[in-house]
Amino acid sequence: MAQSYAAPGQLWLLPQSQQEGLNFDYRQVLEVVEGAYRAVRENGSDSPVKTIIEDPDDHSLSYSMVARDASSDTVCFKAVYEFDPSRRRDEYRFHSFIFIADDATGAPIALMDVVKLGPLRSSATSALFARAACPDARNALVVGTGVQGQIALPMLLAALPELERLQVFGTYPEGLRAVQDSVEGREVEIVEDLEKAASEADILIGTSGLSVTQTVQRDWVKPGSISVLLGYGVHDVFHGADYRIATNTTQMHVTCGKLRAPDGSLPKVDAELPDILLGRAQARRDPDDVVFAYNSGMAVTDAALGRYIADLALADGRGERVGFW
């Protein structure tokens, strides 16, 4: 029997305050996100490319996405607005929400703030890339200490519990402490020599923003490593990598404008994550390949993970119902 999220004519609101303290199981999050990617190929899910408005002087960034996750029968509409995304004016503002509906019954599920859902599904995607390309990894380095950087290591450990050495590079003391505190019972080293740390890492994850002051260079990374890009920090590896993978090639071409070569060109993408997870494509060709992964969020994962979080919140009596329709 289908769950009832709200009475007819009502909309269930789940602001971030009503999501705090929910008991997320990172391994379950990985399964939900992986299932969403698999369903893109297996079950007829659909996740069209983002619609983006980007001001030429980085004044603001806006985009919207729609998707249907066939694995959970959930439709998702997502909207994001960032003010001062380059953080040059110290006026940064971020606002985002998703509206999800049950595509089996036609009933609305919730309107949700996704300030943490987005990083959660992005970090899960990074971990899936890393596990596929470096299943025997022992050393992971995160570049950047924002919200994405603070959840990267816990998610990596859920995917790769045998990781031995965890490192972080950043410039904000509060962010560095937050990354260290994100992994209970494990030491996270703060890196001062980025080149040395990058040359030793099996997994590098770039989560920095546009204001990044130091980035990993292609010549620093070792054979057999993978560099996963969510924002900035490891983007120099892109053009010089031996093998490139992405969540979705078409979306990458839309969202990676700042990574284009001076002539506007982009290198070939060798495989996409849904095919890798299904065993239809390789995560690398050779054990010594330097692999680069472009992690561009797909709304199908927002739909699947939004449904997972909504069900946790429903079971815990969270949220507020308002008359809307």
Side-chain angles (χ1 to χ4, degrees):
M1 182 177 177
Q3 297 196 79
S4 176
Y5 296 93
Q10 289 188 328
L11 178 61
W12 185 30
L13 304 180
L14 280 174
Q16 187 54 46
S17 61
Q18 291 293 315
Q19 299 175 46
E20 295 293 343
L22 285 175
N23 187 22
F24 295 127
D25 183 325
Y26 288 146
R27 289 170 297 183
Q28 183 64 41
V29 169
L30 281 169
E31 289 181 14
V32 169
V33 173
E34 180 174 358
Y37 282 119
R38 286 173 171 267
V40 170
R41 296 290 191 265
E42 288 187 318
N43 297 335
S45 294
D46 198 4
S47 191
V49 175
K50 294 177 180 178
T51 299
I52 301 176
I53 299 174
E54 188 170 8
D55 193 270
D57 67 355
D58 292 322
H59 176 80
S60 66
L61 171 67
S62 310
Y63 61 86
S64 62
M65 307 165 74
V66 61
R68 177 181 180 273
D69 174 44
S71 64
S72 63
D73 279 324
T74 306
V75 170
C76 163
F77 298 86
K78 180 175 182 178
V80 176
Y81 173 67
E82 290 187 69
F83 182 79
D84 188 23
S86 61
R87 309 195 187 195
R88 294 171 183 165
R89 308 176 188 84
D90 295 324
E91 298 175 352
Y92 181 68
R93 299 289 186 275
F94 177 90
H95 304 286
S96 180
F97 66 85
I98 59 171
F99 169 66
I100 55 175
D102 188 325
D103 201 38
T105 66
I109 295 175
L111 183 69
M112 304 172 60
D113 182 285
V114 290
V115 68
K116 290 191 176 179
L117 184 153
L120 198 64
R121 60 94 156 118
S122 294
S123 294
T125 299
S126 294
L128 292 171
F129 274 130
R131 185 171 66 187
C134 290
D136 299 320
R138 291 294 179 268
N139 182 353
L141 167 66
V142 174
V143 181
T145 62
V147 177
Q148 297 278 10
Q150 292 169 27
I151 199 170
L153 290 177
M155 198 65 73
L156 271 178
L157 284 170
L160 294 165
E162 300 304 316
L163 282 171
E164 297 170 354
R165 190 178 187 189
L166 309 175
Q167 298 180 292
V168 59
F169 176 83
T171 56
Y172 298 100
E174 291 182 3
L176 290 167
R177 286 193 293 271
V179 173
Q180 288 184 309
D181 293 342
S182 70
V183 185
E184 187 176 353
R186 294 290 301 270
E187 178 186 2
V188 179
E189 304 172 37
I190 295 177
V191 168
E192 295 185 359
D193 187 338
L194 181 59
E195 180 175 357
K196 182 176 185 297
S199 70
E200 297 172 351
D202 302 308
I203 300 167
L204 302 93
I205 299 183
T207 71
S208 298
L210 278 169
S211 58
V212 61
T213 57
Q214 189 175 359
T215 64
V216 172
Q217 303 300 299
R218 163 63 180 87
D219 292 342
W220 298 354
V221 300
K222 69 179 184 179
S225 65
I226 180 172
S227 296
V228 184
L229 184 68
L230 285 85
Y232 295 88
V234 299
H235 49 283
D236 186 72
V237 183
F238 183 42
H239 286 270
D242 301 309
Y243 195 77
R244 299 171 195 86
I245 54 183
T247 46
N248 181 276
T249 304
T250 302
Q251 183 155 287
M252 187 194 83
H253 284 200
V254 171
T255 59
C256 73
K258 292 181 173 62
L259 299 184
R260 292 182 180 273
D263 64 0
S265 65
L266 291 170
K268 174 188 174 185
V269 171
D270 297 288
E272 294 182 342
L273 184 57
D275 297 312
I276 292 170
L277 294 173
L278 289 168
R280 299 174 182 176
Q282 297 174 299
R284 60 169 63 248
R285 288 198 188 95
D286 187 272
D288 288 334
D289 279 345
V290 169
V291 178
F292 179 91
Y294 189 81
N295 181 351
S296 179
M298 295 180 68
V300 68
T301 59
D302 290 285
L305 197 55
R307 185 68 175 263
Y308 169 72
I309 292 173
D311 286 343
L312 288 178
L314 185 68
D316 203 40
R318 306 287 186 101
E320 177 185 358
R321 278 80 176 174
V322 296
F324 194 81
W325 288 285

